[in-house]
Amino acid sequence: MTRDAAFPGLRVEIGDGVATLHLARPERRNALSEELVEALGHFFASPPEGVRAAVLLGDGDNFCAGLDLAEHRERTAVEVMENSQLWHRAFDRLERGQIPIVSALHGAVVGGGLELALSTHVRVAESSVFYALPEGRLGIFVGGGGSVRIARIIGVDQMRELMLTGRRLSADQGHHLGISHELVGAGQAAERAHELAARVASNSPLANRVMLAALPHIGEMPAEEGLWAESLVAALTQTTEDAAEGVRAFLEKRQPRFPRE
């Protein structure tokens, strides 16, 4: 199933409960236009019925080379702030949305592309990947949530150095910093991402959803409040039929059969 008209800049395929979203601008190295950012936000704000997980990848030789500078124009300070907040809303719908997202990374994962990748929940990187934050060399600052999401993963000090120098990180260097969760060989990321997405889609839909929603909030809370919130989420999940089915399946040495939303 393809929904190009509804989601410009994306090629969408759906099968077996998994949506595969291709950034479909290879001639622009999948650079993010405002239209494409909005399309991503719209898709994940209301995923099609029956979709339980997603794979995000880029067509061509790169995952995403960041902001499409061809769209650059003079804006007022208010207009720049509004555009930045458009990216924030869209990427928040990925990170804290309804379904887990596995990203398959290859080639350039740069600037806004890195901000997009770190909005996904499981990241598989090929050996061809390189990461960079060229904003400092362009006289600008990150605007798609990087100062929160990227700094949260690699640390403020590391992020500042990358922005100041504009240097690239290799696949291995990025993996050691926590940008990717798995490293695979050339041409293998998409297949591995689909394997992981199928596994995630077989989880309890409720458990997946609360993991996406609760963990970022708890991570930002003081310890005492975080522990209280954890106990509340545990109570909500462990008293459901999904939890009962999960325990039965474990004791019976079989795969659980969770109802689908």
Side-chain angles (χ1 to χ4, degrees), residues 214-233:
L215 284 171
H217 288 293
I218 292 172
E220 294 168 1
M221 293 177 180
E224 185 175 352
E225 286 81 355
L227 292 171
W228 185 90
E230 178 186 272
S231 66
L232 175 61
V233 176

Side-chain angles (χ1 to χ4, degrees), residues 2-259:
T2 303
R3 299 162 64 101
D4 293 340
F7 303 108
L10 289 175
R11 183 161 54 86
V12 182
E13 302 160 350
I14 298 174
D16 297 325
V18 175
T20 302
L21 288 82
H22 301 253
L23 303 177
R25 305 183 76 214
E27 73 286 353
R28 301 291 304 163
R29 302 172 73 204
N30 296 318
L32 294 168
S33 64
E34 187 171 304
E35 184 178 55
L36 178 51
V37 170
E38 287 189 296
L40 285 163
H42 290 157
F43 181 91
F44 287 105
S46 184
E49 185 176 353
V51 170
R52 303 185 297 276
V55 171
L56 180 64
L57 65 162
D59 284 348
D61 295 331
N62 301 281
F63 174 73
C64 179
L67 171 68
D68 190 346
L69 293 176
E71 285 197 348
H72 179 73
R73 59 181 175 83
E74 288 190 7
R75 290 176 164 142
T76 66
V78 170
E79 288 172 333
V80 172
M81 190 171 182
E82 288 175 344
N83 178 258
S84 174
Q85 290 172 343
L86 179 151
W87 285 54
H88 294 168
R89 288 191 299 272
F91 290 177
D92 194 60
R93 287 169 176 168
L94 276 70
E95 183 185 13
R96 304 192 185 199
Q98 301 177 41
I99 57 173
I101 308 165
V102 182
S103 53
L105 309 178
H106 72 294
V109 184
V110 172
L114 184 54
E115 291 174 314
L116 171 60
L118 292 185
S119 300
T120 68
H121 309 105
V122 181
R123 298 177 292 277
V124 181
E126 294 185 5
S127 54
S128 65
V129 160
F130 64 91
Y131 308 100
L133 293 171
E135 285 81 1
R137 307 294 295 172
L138 298 172
I140 59 177
F141 194 73
V142 291
S147 58
V148 173
R149 289 191 180 91
I150 300 173
R152 187 171 61 202
I153 299 294
I154 71 173
V156 171
D157 183 66
Q158 184 73 67
M159 180 176 179
R160 179 174 54 208
E161 185 270 334
L162 291 174
M163 291 182 70
L164 286 170
T165 65
R167 75 180 178 97
R168 293 182 175 186
L169 294 176
S170 68
D172 283 334
Q173 290 171 320
H175 185 69
H176 287 307
L177 287 173
I179 295 174
S180 61
H181 299 107
E182 287 194 25
L183 278 179
V184 295
Q188 298 176 4
E191 180 179 359
R192 181 56 177 156
H194 279 98
E195 291 173 356
L196 292 170
R199 180 188 301 179
V200 169
S202 71
N203 293 344
S204 157
L206 175 63
N208 278 347
R209 193 147 181 187
V210 297
M211 283 186 275
L212 301 192
L215 284 171
H217 288 293
I218 292 172
E220 294 168 1
M221 293 177 180
E224 185 175 352
E225 286 81 355
L227 292 171
W228 185 90
E230 178 186 272
S231 66
L232 175 61
V233 176
L236 291 173
T237 56
Q238 292 178 27
T239 54
T240 64
E241 177 54 33
D242 279 5
E245 166 59 13
V247 172
R248 282 194 301 268
F250 177 81
L251 295 174
E252 295 169 7
K253 296 180 172 56
R254 61 172 174 82
Q255 292 298 314
R257 295 184 289 272
F258 297 117

